[in-house]
Amino acid sequence: MIKSIADLQAEIGVKPDGVWGPVSSQALSEALKSRIIKITENISLNELLASNTAARKGIDNTPSGTVPLKNLIEASNELWQPVRDYLGYPMVISSGYRSPKLNKAIGGVKDSAHLHGLAIDFVVPGFGDTRKIIKALNQFFKEKNIAFDQLILEYPNSPGSWVHLGYKHSSGAQRRQYFQIGA
């Protein structure tokens, strides 16, 4: 599995020097077109970069810099995969990384954790509705003393409800915030 930028470079056939540049970016873009790049057992870089809005509007949502990729790798290994393991069912990730252009196109907040590769929005249909997911994760995080930034129940009364899970704030803080947005 992928634990670092060098691991990612090796996976996409670039000299694994840990320095992300144009050659690595191009190789990543090409690799994403033809195969699944697994960061962890159950989380792929493909799903963290996928966006229906980006596809529809012709927006390239591939990170060009090191920071979002490092954050996606770290968050996948340290928080999102453990959450997936705990819940025991596949996560359907609707939003991971967002380029500034994509974030603007969807009306995301200007300091969104998604811009830094530090948050995902997801559902877990096999586990239950978003209220059940939030309740279970609150308990899991408390019992295991797992640090996170934000656990947000978004629009719980809507059939399109989702869970937002932030690994860290862009400052690096893990604030352990829980709240609900919308009805």
Side-chain angles (χ1 to χ4, degrees):
M1 295 300 123
I2 296 172
K3 299 273 189 188
S4 68
I5 292 293
D7 290 346
L8 177 57
Q9 289 172 315
E11 179 69 25
I12 62 174
V14 174
K15 180 181 174 188
D17 61 8
V19 178
W20 198 261
V23 171
S24 296
S25 289
Q26 181 61 38
L28 177 60
S29 291
E30 290 303 313
L32 288 167
K33 293 176 188 173
S34 62
R35 62 192 169 103
I36 303 298
I37 300 170
K38 292 178 84 170
I39 297 173
T40 67
E41 180 181 346
N42 301 106
I43 297 173
S44 73
L45 188 56
N46 307 63
E47 68 188 321
L48 295 174
L49 302 180
S51 165
N52 290 334
T53 302
R56 192 173 55 255
K57 295 186 177 242
I59 298 170
D60 182 5
N61 196 46
T62 308
S64 58
T66 305
V67 172
L69 288 166
K70 284 176 71 173
N71 290 342
L72 288 167
I73 293 166
E74 182 180 343
S76 293
N77 282 286
E78 298 299 322
L79 183 62
W80 303 333
Q81 182 65 47
V83 162
R84 192 315 189 172
D85 292 343
Y86 175 73
L87 295 175
Y89 293 91
M91 299 167 81
V92 178
I93 298 172
S94 58
S95 184
Y97 171 75
R98 291 185 203 146
S99 68
K101 190 172 181 179
L102 175 59
N103 194 60
K104 185 176 181 180
I106 66 163
V109 296
K110 61 182 169 184
D111 62 343
S112 173
H114 292 279
L115 289 163
H116 307 284
L118 292 168
I120 57 172
D121 296 336
F122 69 95
V123 294
V124 185
F127 186 83
D129 67 23
T130 52
R131 291 177 196 269
K132 185 176 179 184
I133 294 166
I134 291 285
K135 183 177 180 182
L137 291 181
N138 265 324
Q139 180 179 342
F140 175 58
F141 293 160
K142 286 177 187 169
E143 285 177 4
K144 302 293 183 184
N145 194 29
I146 295 174
F148 63 97
D149 186 48
Q150 292 181 325
L151 180 60
I152 306 172
L153 177 57
E154 302 216 29
Y155 305 98
N157 296 327
S158 165
S161 178
W162 69 89
V163 173
H164 170 97
L165 180 57
Y167 175 55
K168 290 182 180 177
H169 182 265
S170 59
S171 68
Q174 290 179 299
R175 302 172 292 178
R176 297 178 190 233
Q177 295 178 333
Y178 163 74
F179 52 97
Q180 178 177 311
I181 294 176

